[in-house]
């Protein structure tokens, strides 16, 4: 009998389970402040400028599979109306193009100055999601015997639809001061049915809570003749997300030293165990970034801590490019209360 790799069998079981039940979870980005509006639409336009974002996550490259998640977004702020709008497109692949998901979302946020020091940003998000499945990429148990693969194909007529389209609704809110911020975002408020079959498989509402505080350390003047001082700050941050029966927490810090950015996070909830032998420890994530003129480039890597370590998944890579147009044509620019979180 031919040798069958255990992790390949595991992938077959996981993919088939996803297709039949369709209880999928949202993408989990490690650089969550590089794509803040993915968690909460209230972050759209939070830079008070025009911004463009390209983001790529490559997860578990060591497995014989394809887990790719790509995001492209654009947002801008209209100071005259205290309003922001944004457009976000997300493409996700699971397996060798077996399951793909494409999201298109429009976002709107309004900026309300509650007091001299506190600003609140409520936001709405609407869009559409298309999910596709390529049954020809699947390998089912009945295609094998004790002598090995039978060579028979899949009878796709007995399977479900190959494509579905459904609407999406989300909302969020964000409070911030000159040093701290906390926001709550909710996606899938309409709990859309994402089943490929004539069944009900509703996508659970996803709750995201993000927050942090920025501490400005001693500013540095590298040379006496330089007019501007360089920023030196550290920002402890957190990101809690919950969807259905699953939840997770990211804890860490951002460090900004002039044009250089860095970060280190821990993902997991160690006080919550799925069983005595299965603690909730997922990953340690370092990040490095560099800002050049209006562009910021960053890279992070997930070092796996969970029981997936023996499978040699090789963690996850994330790459981000953010462009922010800081140029303004206003002769007397409006004084804006800027969000203090890391400026990607």
């Amino acid at each position: 009998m031919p040798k069958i790799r255990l992790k390949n069998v595991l992938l077959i079981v996981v993919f088939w389970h996803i297709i039949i039940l369709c209880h999928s979870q949202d993408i989990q980005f490690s650089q969550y402040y590089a794509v803040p509006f993915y968690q909460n639409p209230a972050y759209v336009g939070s830079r008070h400028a025009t911004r463009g974002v390209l983001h790529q996550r490559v997860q578990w490259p060591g497995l014989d599979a394809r887990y790719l998640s790509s995001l492209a977004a654009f947002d801008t702020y209209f100071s005259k109306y205290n309003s922001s709008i944004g457009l976000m497109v997300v493409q996700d692949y699971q397996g060798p193009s077996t399951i793909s998901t494409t999201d298109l979302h429009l976002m709107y946020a309004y900026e309300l100055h509650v007091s001299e020091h506190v600003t609140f940003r409520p936001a709405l998000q609407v869009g559409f999601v298309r999910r596709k499945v390529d049954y020809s990429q699947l390998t089912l148990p009945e295609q094998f015997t004790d002598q090995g693969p039978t060579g028979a194909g899949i009878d796709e007529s007995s399977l479900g639809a190959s494509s579905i389209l459904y609407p999406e609704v989300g909302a969020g809110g964000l409070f911030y001061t000159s040093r701290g911020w906390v926001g709550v975002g909710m996606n899938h408020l309409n709990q859309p049915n994402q089943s490929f079959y004539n069944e009900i498989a509703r996508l659970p509402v996803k709750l995201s809570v993000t927050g942090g505080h920025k501490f400005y350390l001693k500013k540095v003047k590298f040379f006496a003749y330089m007019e501007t001082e360089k920023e030196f700050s550290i920002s402890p941050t957190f990101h809690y997300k919950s969807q259905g029966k699953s939840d997770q927490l990211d804890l860490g810090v951002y460090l900004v030293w002039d044009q250089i950015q860095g970060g280190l996070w821990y993902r997991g909830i160690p006080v919550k165990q799925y069983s005595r032998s299965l603690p909730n420890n997922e990953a340690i994530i370092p990040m490095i970034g560099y800002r050049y003129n209006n562009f910021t480039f960053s890279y992070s890597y997930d070092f796996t801590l969970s029981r997936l370590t023996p499978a040699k998944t090789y963690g996850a890579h994330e790459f981000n490019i953010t462009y922010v147009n800081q140029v303004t044509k206003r002769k007397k620019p409006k004084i804006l209360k800027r969000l203090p979180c890391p400026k990607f």
Side-chain angles (χ1 to χ4, degrees), residues 33 43 46-47 179 181 214 235 338-344:
Y33 277 114
Y43 283 98
S46 59
R47 286 301 308 271
R179 296 294 180 95
W181 68 96
K214 191 169 190 176
S235 303
R338 299 190 181 277
L339 190 67
C341 64
K343 296 178 179 179
F344 281 92

Side-chain angles (χ1 to χ4, degrees), residues 51-66:
R51 170 172 53 183
V53 178
L54 294 175
H55 196 86
Q56 179 75 59
R57 179 177 176 86
V58 182
Q59 185 167 320
W60 300 343
L63 297 181
D64 298 332
R66 185 188 186 200

Side-chain angles (χ1 to χ4, degrees), residues 2 86 135 168 206 243 259 315:
Y135 293 108
E168 273 271 344
K206 183 183 74 172
Q243 187 175 16
Q259 295 173 283

Side-chain angles (χ1 to χ4, degrees), residues 47 49-53 259 290-297 321-328 343-344:
R47 286 301 308 271
T50 299
R51 170 172 53 183
V53 178
Q259 295 173 283
Y290 183 77
R291 179 174 54 83
Y292 179 75
N293 293 332
N294 291 343
F295 289 90
T296 299
F297 308 88
I321 301 176
T322 296
Y323 171 80
V324 178
N325 183 10
Q326 301 284 17
V327 178
T328 177
K343 296 178 179 179
F344 281 92

